[in-house]
Amino acid sequence: MRMYDLIMKKRNGGTLSREEIEYMIAEYTAEHIPDYQMSAMMMAIYFQGMSAEETVALTMAMAHSGDMMDLSGISGVKVDKHSTGGVGDKTSIALTPMVAACGVKIAKMSGRGLGHTGGTIDKLESFAGFTTGIDAGHFVRQVNEIGVSIMGQTADIAPADKKLYALRDVTATVDNMSLIASSIMSKKLASGADAIVLDVKTGSGAFMKKEQDAFALAKEMVTLGNMAGRKTIAVVSDMDQPLGRAVGNALEVMEAIATLRGEGPEDFTRLCMTLGTYMLVAGGAASDEEEARARLNRVIEDGSALKKLAEFVEAQGGNPAAVYDTALLPAASIVEDIDSVQDGYVCHIDCDEIGICSLLLGGGRETKESVIDLSVGLVLHKKVGDAVRTGEALATIYANDRNKLNAAKERFLRAYHFADDPVAADSLIKGIVRE
Ligand code: URA
């Protein structure tokens, strides 16, 4: 077999066999296939798509490209959660301690930023010293001791996805249904949890812009998970505007902390409650959704979810004091408002553009080697449906470089659209996909 022939086959609209996909993944993982050939293959898949059979084969080949994690050393049901990626999506940082504080074991594997979207690992690194580079032994021990751990993808777990994820991030090949489904599900299957709750985003800030594509992706992933014996459920949620108000690594951590204090934005809090409800039921900590909601509310009110975040940060080398004093998180040197240049009602926000503004400020990667600036980003003061007057602040921008700030500000103003009459925001939860 030759990679050249496989690229040509896919470029011409052919269907790759299971053997061909297994060959490609094994050889790429072993570094026998160079990035430039795999980039060409990703672009061919992007344009030609993959059949359901090809997607299953790709998922399984990537899941088995390294070790399959054994979580049998952790008692009880282990639950994982994953988002398809969005702007301002800091859900895991608030949600995992909430759910762990309710007694469900969270064994989660997370990723870094991808395209215009942020990543949980980058955000968590806002806690000085925090690392997700822990080994399987540490991971299992920590879940047993405090009920929650988030690890990064090690070289041993789904290494093919790890390499492809970084490659797709910088080659404009992220937003393809089969590539997203196989990327997410390969690492979810390899990382060993018993139940998986997926948050599938749709809208201008998501990789799946159209709702029907998001539902199709959700169905594909739920099928893949259940086929592999994992109880999988997907929530399809809105990403037509940033989630919450903060966009940017440390700023999002601050918003997640505020949410654990019961002071978070309404939409973000509601999404955490919805996903948390399914996680509690899947993990056996609540018999129905009503009981689950009551338990989640209780751990916010009594402070135990916030305390769980501090325990989790400390267990992975981070400074837990920053959970109680967010002035200890990275801070930008320039803080300025972006004022509206017109009156009206915000009727649409080009959500991916807001993600790109954060990236332009230094909060995301331009190349695989980029080092990100954790302190930069935006906090939105106006969202869809809000009335605005000329001169009123649409957002506050956090930067460390005047030129980058100017570029981001210009782009930000172009991303906001106004109407003369009041408009209603889209519903946050679009639907639930079960087996
Ligand atoms: N999240 C992933 O892990 N992979 C993707 O391809 C997209 C989002």
Side-chain angles (χ1 to χ4, degrees):
M1 251 182 247
R2 287 195 325 147
M3 186 61 175
Y4 181 93
D5 298 330
L6 302 189
I7 296 169
M8 191 150 69
K9 185 176 184 185
K10 186 41 86 184
R11 187 200 70 185
N12 294 342
T15 302
L16 300 173
S17 68
R18 184 164 57 80
E19 290 72 23
E20 287 170 335
I21 289 172
E22 283 171 1
Y23 160 83
M24 171 177 95
I25 293 302
E27 292 298 292
Y28 182 58
T29 309
E31 315 227 317
H32 298 153
I33 291 173
D35 274 353
Y36 55 82
Q37 281 193 310
M38 195 48 114
S39 304
M41 174 59 90
M42 291 296 111
M43 196 56 87
I45 292 174
Y46 180 88
F47 282 113
Q48 297 292 356
M50 281 186 131
S51 67
E53 289 73 22
E54 285 177 297
T55 309
V56 172
L58 181 60
T59 307
M60 293 307 169
M62 293 208 298
H64 289 96
S65 62
D67 295 343
M68 298 294 278
M69 209 138 148
D70 176 11
L71 300 186
S72 58
I74 305 171
S75 57
V77 182
K78 279 78 68 183
V79 182
D80 196 348
K81 170 263 162 193
H82 203 89
S83 155
T84 56
V87 179
D89 186 2
K90 69 284 296 173
T91 309
S92 294
I93 300 165
L95 178 62
T96 53
M98 274 165 70
V99 172
C102 293
V104 173
K105 301 268 172 67
I106 306 291
K108 172 164 170 49
M109 184 178 286
S110 282
R112 295 195 179 271
L114 190 64
H116 64 277
T117 70
T120 301
I121 296 185
D122 296 329
K123 292 171 198 179
L124 282 169
E125 286 176 356
S126 302
F127 291 104
F130 187 94
T131 180
T132 50
I134 54 176
D135 62 20
H138 181 147
F139 186 64
V140 167
R141 219 172 23 255
Q142 188 178 318
V143 178
N144 268 328
E145 282 169 15
I146 66 164
V148 54
S149 182
I150 295 184
M151 73 185 289
Q153 215 164 339
T154 63
D156 307 327
I157 306 291
D161 173 62
K162 188 176 162 91
K163 286 188 74 185
L164 274 176
Y165 190 92
L167 188 70
R168 287 167 56 226
D169 186 26
V170 291
T171 55
T173 50
V174 174
D175 46 341
N176 170 274
M177 201 181 301
S178 296
L179 294 180
I180 296 175
S182 56
S183 164
I184 293 179
M185 294 313 289
S186 63
K187 52 184 168 267
K188 297 294 105 178
L189 300 183
S191 56
D194 307 302
I196 304 163
V197 176
L198 299 166
D199 180 13
V200 179
K201 303 290 194 190
T202 179
S204 60
F207 295 123
M208 295 291 106
K209 309 280 180 221
K210 294 194 209 127
E211 208 169 306
Q212 76 193 65
D213 291 343
F215 274 97
L217 173 63
K219 281 186 191 130
E220 197 150 338
M221 291 197 290
V222 167
T223 305
L224 281 164
N226 286 310
M227 246 172 51
R230 316 295 167 86
K231 201 159 149 198
T232 308
I233 186 168
V235 174
V236 178
S237 70
D238 183 62
M239 189 37 74
D240 216 25
Q241 59 176 335
L243 182 63
R245 297 193 176 273
V247 179
N249 298 285
L251 295 169
E252 292 188 41
V253 168
M254 287 178 207
E255 190 166 83
I257 290 171
T259 303
L260 291 175
R261 286 198 309 257
E263 297 157 7
E266 191 276 334
D267 60 341
F268 178 56
T269 304
R270 192 146 47 93
L271 182 67
C272 289
M273 294 300 286
T274 304
L275 293 166
T277 295
Y278 293 113
M279 291 170 83
L280 254 59
V281 173
S287 52
D288 58 28
E289 292 170 23
E290 200 186 334
E291 187 190 343
R293 271 177 194 281
R295 292 203 65 177
L296 289 164
N297 277 321
R298 212 172 308 133
V299 294
I300 290 185
E301 279 158 22
D302 69 12
S304 54
L306 191 66
K307 186 162 166 269
K308 187 58 74 181
L309 175 66
E311 278 175 36
F312 159 56
V313 167
E314 187 167 23
Q316 294 191 212
N319 178 9
V323 170
Y324 299 102
D325 178 6
T326 55
L328 297 171
L329 292 168
S333 56
I334 314 174
V335 180
E336 267 180 30
D337 282 348
I338 305 180
D339 295 335
S340 180
V341 288
Q342 66 183 97
D343 293 348
Y345 293 88
V346 180
C347 63
H348 179 72
I349 300 173
D350 299 327
C351 186
D352 46 0
E353 286 293 309
I354 306 296
I356 291 169
C357 289
S358 173
L359 209 134
L360 289 177
L361 291 167
R365 289 178 188 76
E366 299 284 353
T367 68
K368 286 205 303 190
E369 289 73 32
S370 302
V371 175
I372 65 174
D373 184 342
L374 296 166
S375 67
V376 299
L378 300 130
V379 174
L380 311 186
H381 304 307
K382 298 288 177 184
K383 293 189 63 178
V384 174
D386 289 343
V388 187
R389 302 201 73 81
T390 305
E392 230 185 320
L394 292 172
T396 301
I397 189 163
Y398 295 76
N400 287 312
D401 178 308
R402 176 62 58 187
N403 291 332
K404 290 181 181 172
L405 181 147
N406 289 340
K409 189 169 170 178
E410 205 184 308
R411 206 146 171 165
F412 180 90
L413 284 168
R414 280 204 304 269
Y416 263 64
H417 303 272
F418 301 89
D420 293 335
D421 299 315
V423 238
D426 274 354
S427 63
L428 178 69
I429 309 294
K430 309 285 183 188
I432 311 295
V433 177
R434 302 167 200 265
E435 195 175 3

